[in-house]
Amino acid sequence: MAGASASCSMTAGACCACPSSSSSLFPHHRPSPRRHARIMCSSSSSMHGYGYDSSSLPSLSLPFPVPAPRGVTSTSSGSRLRIFSGSANPVLAQEIACYLGMELGKIKIKRFADGEIYVQLQESVRGCDVFLVQPTCPPANENLMELLIMIDACRRASAKNITAVIPYFGYARADRKMQGRESIAAKLVANLITEAGAHRVLACDLHSGQSIGYFDIPVDHVYGQPVILDYLASKTICPNDVVVVSPDVGGVARARAFAKKLSDAPLAIVDKRRQGHNQAEVVNLIGDVRGKVAVMVDDMIDTAGTISKGAELLHKEGARAVYACSTHAVFSPPAQQRLSSGLFQEVIITNTVPVQHLHSFPQLTVLSVANLLGETIWRVHDDCSLSSIFK
């Protein structure tokens, strides 16, 4: 992962050139190693930007034959499927393309001196099924605007279908009115994506399921739980010693589903009272964690206030060890200090949001969702069912 230190560990499809790196989620699919796209940077007094250029890179020479998976060829002309990446998480997009055995589409994205964004597709997408990989992670407004312009560029280039692949959907927490005169920004963002020209949205672990209803176009909602569950299954933890903990009442349904798949582990709930935005105060614990290995499950870690206060309570109640599991690692300050303070045995996240070098610490483990998203993209493209992935 770009920017991650050696203390972070990457699993579940981090290196597509190795046949053994295929996730156990899809054992019958073998990723085909392809040429990796290279990010080119350029700058001038008026603009700076980047583009993808894979044509100048040599092919990989391997000692074993590798079949092209799913019928997708390495050349763009061999398939109507196209995958483009924005600037938010190009490493994840490259891993997804590698899983599918194809190259990322060529795109040029620049920013003018005044901050305006310029997007140009550098290959034809007429009549193609286009997938745009762009999480709206921090800086959320920049990445959201970039996604909208990418969608518009594809629409004006006569793409047949445009799918916005949003591994992390920013503004998802603004999904309802808690007080008078508040906006529902999640609905506004959904309208912007729809009006820009997207035909479908592929999102991962939305903050609340009701956000799906804000879109007037189809939404495919996938979950990062299988990736984390696969990793936990590989650890030497006795199933009878595990208790799954929801850090708040709103995440009970998520934690219950996680516990059911983790050998039907018992459930505990942290009762918290939020004092304000990004501020939480733990009040009580519902359930027994004494002598147990507590696995805290949440959809995102922002400032880590909720999950760290919950971990403090779990230790006071006699938990033997505390693991934190989350799909989205937003890691706004002071998340790193709270997570690395010794409260957690391990902090397990995925790469839906790129983890910067400054945010890494010894207890951090980063899992890749590239295989999960790649499989989902192929099934959407091939009009296949997605529900069987999570059974």
Side-chain angles (χ1 to χ4, degrees):
M1 173 174 294
S5 69
S7 62
C8 300
S9 60
M10 170 71 78
T11 60
C15 177
C16 293
C18 176
S20 62
S21 65
S22 173
S23 171
S24 61
L25 293 171
F26 317 111
H28 303 297
H29 177 70
R30 186 183 189 186
S32 174
R34 299 295 177 189
R35 295 175 294 179
H36 290 261
R38 177 164 54 92
I39 299 177
M40 294 172 40
C41 299
S42 61
S43 62
S44 65
S45 59
S46 60
M47 65 177 67
H48 67 277
Y50 75 92
Y52 292 99
D53 181 11
S54 57
S55 60
S56 61
L57 299 180
S59 299
L60 293 173
S61 178
L62 298 171
F64 51 85
V66 182
R70 298 297 194 187
V72 181
T73 64
S74 60
T75 58
S76 298
S77 59
S79 172
R80 287 291 183 181
L81 174 62
R82 300 286 191 278
I83 300 178
F84 293 92
S85 173
S87 61
N89 200 344
V91 175
L92 175 59
Q94 178 58 56
E95 292 178 8
I96 292 172
C98 192
Y99 174 84
L100 291 169
M102 57 188 300
E103 297 172 353
L104 285 177
K106 297 178 182 178
I107 186 172
K108 179 186 291 184
I109 302 176
K110 293 186 177 182
R111 280 169 174 78
F112 292 94
D114 61 355
E116 293 181 5
I117 301 172
Y118 169 84
V119 174
Q120 181 190 31
L121 304 178
Q122 297 189 309
E123 60 183 71
S124 174
V125 295
R126 185 179 296 273
C128 293
D129 200 359
V130 177
F131 292 81
L132 305 175
V133 182
Q134 175 77 345
T136 54
C137 52
N141 297 332
E142 283 280 315
N143 290 329
L144 174 60
M145 193 64 196
E146 186 177 301
L147 173 62
L148 298 176
I149 297 176
M150 290 171 64
I151 294 172
D152 183 70
C154 293
R155 180 175 64 86
R156 297 179 187 278
S158 301
K160 183 179 180 181
N161 292 302
I162 304 170
T163 301
V165 181
I166 311 176
Y168 170 71
F169 182 64
Y171 288 103
R173 285 174 284 185
D175 56 0
R176 62 191 182 277
K177 293 181 67 173
M178 299 295 292
Q179 303 177 38
R181 299 177 297 279
E182 284 186 336
S183 69
I184 304 180
K187 172 59 176 172
L188 173 62
V189 173
N191 288 343
L192 290 172
I193 293 173
T194 303
E195 292 301 317
H199 300 100
R200 179 182 294 270
V201 168
L202 170 56
C204 183
D205 270 326
L206 292 170
H207 185 64
S208 60
Q210 68 202 46
S211 299
I212 297 176
Y214 294 158
F215 290 88
D216 296 325
I217 55 178
V219 176
D220 293 310
H221 187 202
V222 300
Y223 303 91
Q225 284 187 358
V227 178
I228 298 175
L229 286 166
D230 268 8
Y231 176 75
L232 289 175
S234 68
K235 302 186 73 65
T236 56
I237 303 176
C238 179
N240 295 330
D241 294 339
V242 175
V243 56
V244 176
V245 181
S246 173
D248 54 34
V249 176
V252 171
R254 183 185 302 108
R256 184 183 293 117
F258 192 91
K260 185 177 180 180
K261 295 180 180 179
L262 195 64
S263 302
D264 204 13
L267 183 67
I269 304 168
V270 175
D271 177 29
K272 76 175 184 184
R273 305 293 170 88
R274 188 173 292 278
Q275 303 299 315
H277 296 298
N278 300 123
Q279 298 179 8
E281 179 183 352
V282 172
V283 178
N284 199 8
L285 177 68
I286 304 171
D288 182 23
V289 298
R290 187 168 300 277
K292 300 284 188 177
V293 176
V295 179
M296 301 189 74
V297 180
D298 208 351
D299 63 318
M300 71 171 69
I301 300 176
D302 190 358
T303 61
T306 297
I307 205 164
S308 61
K309 288 181 180 293
E312 291 177 1
L313 180 62
L314 292 174
H315 282 292
K316 290 179 181 178
E317 294 293 329
R320 191 169 81 239
V322 179
Y323 287 78
C325 300
S326 178
T327 303
H328 309 300
V330 180
F331 284 2
S332 302
Q336 180 190 2
Q337 290 79 2
R338 288 170 171 171
L339 295 173
S340 60
S341 62
L343 291 171
F344 300 96
Q345 182 77 17
E346 191 172 2
V347 178
I348 305 167
I349 61 171
T350 72
N351 61 344
T352 56
V353 177
V355 179
Q356 302 300 322
H357 174 71
L358 296 177
H359 292 161
S360 62
F361 48 92
Q363 297 91 345
L364 183 65
T365 298
V366 182
L367 308 177
S368 178
V369 293
N371 288 9
L372 175 66
L373 293 177
E375 181 72 14
T376 303
I377 287 173
W378 176 258
R379 294 191 182 205
V380 171
H381 172 68
D382 203 36
D383 295 327
C384 295
S385 171
L386 301 182
S387 60
S388 59
I389 298 177
F390 306 100
K391 289 182 179 178

